[in-house]
Amino acid sequence: MFDMRWKYIVITFLSLFVVSVGADAAKQRGAAQNNSLDKGYRGMADMGFTIGLGGDAGYNRFGFSSTHGYQVVPSYLFIGGGVEADYYRDGSGFAIPLYFDVRTNIDVKVSPFVDIRVGGSPTVIKGFYFSPSVGVRIPIDKTKYGISIAAGYSFQTGSFDYYSYDTKSVVVDKEKMAGLHIKVGFEW
C-alpha cells in the first residue's frame, strides 16, 4: 500500500511540474530575455538525495520538491513556498514538508545562491523542517530557465505513531533526522 501512495505522489508532482512549465513556456514564447531573474513569478523543481547523519538507521532519503513564489528584487531576492516529498530508504515512511522559502542570488552568468526553507510535515513523519542550501544557477540560453545544483543540510523532527504489542497501546517515537543533501533542479 505504501508503494502505491509513493507512486501517486511522484505522478502528481511530475504532472504539476509539466503543467506549470508548459504554462510558463507559453507566456515566455517570443520574449527576448537576458540571463537575470526578472521581477515576477518564479518556479523551481528539484530532486535529490540526503545522506543521514546519526540516528538508528542514518535516515538516508530521496526527495522531490516544487517551489513557487515571487522574485521580489530582480536577480537578488526570491520569496515563496513549496512542498517536498521525502522517502526514507530504511522503510520508516515518508515526509511531505510544506515550507516557506527565501533565496538570494548574485547576479552573474553562473549565479551562486543561498536558499533557506523552513516549515513542517503533517504526514506519516510529522514535525519541524529546516533546510539551508548553497548552490549555483546555470542559465539556459537567454531565457529565464535554468538548471540549479545545490548542496546543504536537512533537518526534520519526526514523530512516529505505532502500535506496541508489548504495552498493547499506541506509542509515539520522536526522532531528530539530520543529513547532508545534494539536489539538482530546473527553474522557470
Side-chain angles (χ1 to χ4, degrees):
M1 185 168 152
F2 174 74
D3 291 330
M4 284 303 285
R5 277 192 248 165
W6 184 247
K7 288 176 187 175
Y8 287 128
I9 290 169
V10 170
I11 289 169
T12 301
F13 173 77
L14 291 175
S15 299
L16 289 172
F17 173 73
V18 168
V19 168
S20 62
V21 168
D24 194 58
K27 184 175 112 182
Q28 294 298 321
R29 203 170 291 134
Q33 299 267 332
N34 58 24
N35 286 333
S36 66
L37 299 166
D38 295 329
K39 190 174 184 177
Y41 167 78
R42 184 171 169 202
M44 299 170 243
D46 61 46
M47 57 192 266
F49 184 74
T50 301
I51 298 169
L53 302 173
D56 295 332
Y59 298 111
N60 295 335
R61 55 197 177 268
F62 291 104
F64 301 94
S65 70
S66 180
T67 306
H68 303 271
Y70 195 79
Q71 188 71 33
V72 178
V73 179
S75 299
Y76 294 104
L77 180 63
F78 166 83
I79 297 175
V83 61
E84 184 166 328
D86 290 325
Y87 171 69
Y88 288 79
R89 291 190 58 212
D90 68 350
S92 61
F94 62 94
I96 302 180
L98 305 173
Y99 56 83
F100 175 73
D101 190 14
V102 175
R103 180 180 284 201
T104 184
N105 290 70
I106 297 173
D107 189 19
V108 293
K109 185 167 174 104
V110 176
S111 176
F113 65 81
V114 175
D115 183 76
I116 299 174
R117 297 175 178 182
V118 178
S121 177
T123 57
V124 174
I125 299 174
K126 304 174 204 69
F128 175 73
Y129 173 77
F130 176 68
S131 182
S133 300
V134 294
V136 293
R137 178 186 185 276
I138 305 162
I140 298 174
D141 202 17
K142 292 190 183 264
T143 65
K144 73 183 237 176
Y145 300 107
I147 304 293
S148 65
I149 302 168
Y153 176 77
S154 291
F155 178 79
Q156 170 87 42
T157 59
S159 175
F160 306 88
D161 301 344
Y162 64 92
Y163 183 79
S164 170
Y165 291 100
D166 294 336
T167 62
K168 297 188 183 344
S169 63
V170 174
V171 176
V172 178
D173 186 15
K174 297 185 181 212
E175 295 280 339
K176 293 179 181 172
M177 298 161 286
L180 300 176
H181 67 249
I182 186 157
K183 296 181 178 183
V184 176
F186 179 73
E187 301 181 12
W188 62 96

